[in-house]
Amino acid sequence: LGVAGAAAATTAATAAGCLFMLRALQKRAFIDGWGFWRDYAPPTPARLRAAPRELGPLLAYAGPLSAIVLARLAGFTMMQSTAAKYGTRALAAYQCLINGFVLFAFFAEPLSQTGQTLVPPLVDDGGGPALRGTLKNLATLAAVIGPVVAAACTAFLVLGAPAFVNDAATIALVRRVAFPAVFATTLQL
């Protein structure tokens, strides 16, 4: 089935994973049965509870984040399209690389969440030594975690590619572009 089969298998696996998560939530009584869909149905004007003026602060926060997510999605889509133009091997190598990038880029998320939680109240209080200390601690953590994540990403791409693909030419492509991928992953921190 080739690339189309891989896409179909990925879609099926994602849908199955979603159903298993919903089942687990149901077993733990976080949702009652399958009727919870009613609560999350798209809003109609009668069901829209928030006034437009109340949505302003949410949109002020979510708007820039949505723009960032859409820009990244567009970038990844264009990269995948470009890789596909070079053939199946290049596309397979791209898929290995992007999977490694996404996996190791998530190591920056705890630092990001910590910074987003701790820094704004300190800025609102006027900054000072507490803000400088927090920023110094975050920078130190990033400087320590960065090389570790870079080494793990390098090992994953150089040594782990054969676990995902058995074509020697594709593995060689992954290894050839491992350094730029590791550099990009480290920049995510």
Side-chain angles (χ1 to χ4, degrees), residues 1-18 95:
L1 295 173
V3 175
T10 301
T11 302
T14 302
C18 178
Q95 196 61 46

Side-chain angles (χ1 to χ4, degrees), residues 111 136-148 186 189:
L111 286 174
K136 181 181 175 187
N137 290 338
L138 288 170
T140 302
L141 281 172
V144 170
I145 292 172
V148 172
T186 307
L189 293 173

Side-chain angles (χ1 to χ4, degrees), residues 114-115 117-139:
T114 302
T117 303
L118 297 178
V119 172
L122 295 173
V123 170
D124 291 342
D125 290 341
L131 176 62
R132 281 191 294 279
T134 300
L135 292 175
K136 181 181 175 187
N137 290 338
L138 288 170

Side-chain angles (χ1 to χ4, degrees), residues 57-70:
L58 175 66
L59 292 176
Y61 179 75
L65 291 177
S66 298
I68 290 169
V69 168
L70 290 173

Side-chain angles (χ1 to χ4, degrees), residues 38-126:
R38 286 187 305 270
D39 298 332
Y40 299 103
T44 60
R47 290 185 63 211
L48 191 61
R49 294 185 180 115
R53 69 180 178 282
E54 294 171 343
L55 294 176
L58 175 66
L59 292 176
Y61 179 75
L65 291 177
S66 298
I68 290 169
V69 168
L70 290 173
R72 285 183 178 176
L73 180 62
F76 290 143
T77 301
M78 288 189 295
M79 286 187 282
Q80 186 172 10
S81 301
T82 303
K85 289 178 184 175
Y86 289 104
T88 306
R89 283 192 176 130
L91 186 59
Y94 168 80
Q95 196 61 46
C96 286
L97 288 164
I98 199 69
N99 287 344
F101 171 77
V102 169
L103 172 69
F104 289 100
F106 276 123
F107 283 93
E109 200 58 30
L111 286 174
S112 174
Q113 293 296 324
T114 302
Q116 291 174 30
T117 303
L118 297 178
V119 172
L122 295 173
V123 170
D124 291 342
D125 290 341

Side-chain angles (χ1 to χ4, degrees), residues 15-35:
C18 178
L19 290 174
F20 281 117
M21 284 189 277
L22 289 172
R23 185 172 167 213
L25 289 171
Q26 182 182 10
K27 282 183 178 181
R28 293 183 180 173
F30 287 117
I31 57 174
D32 349 324
W34 295 100

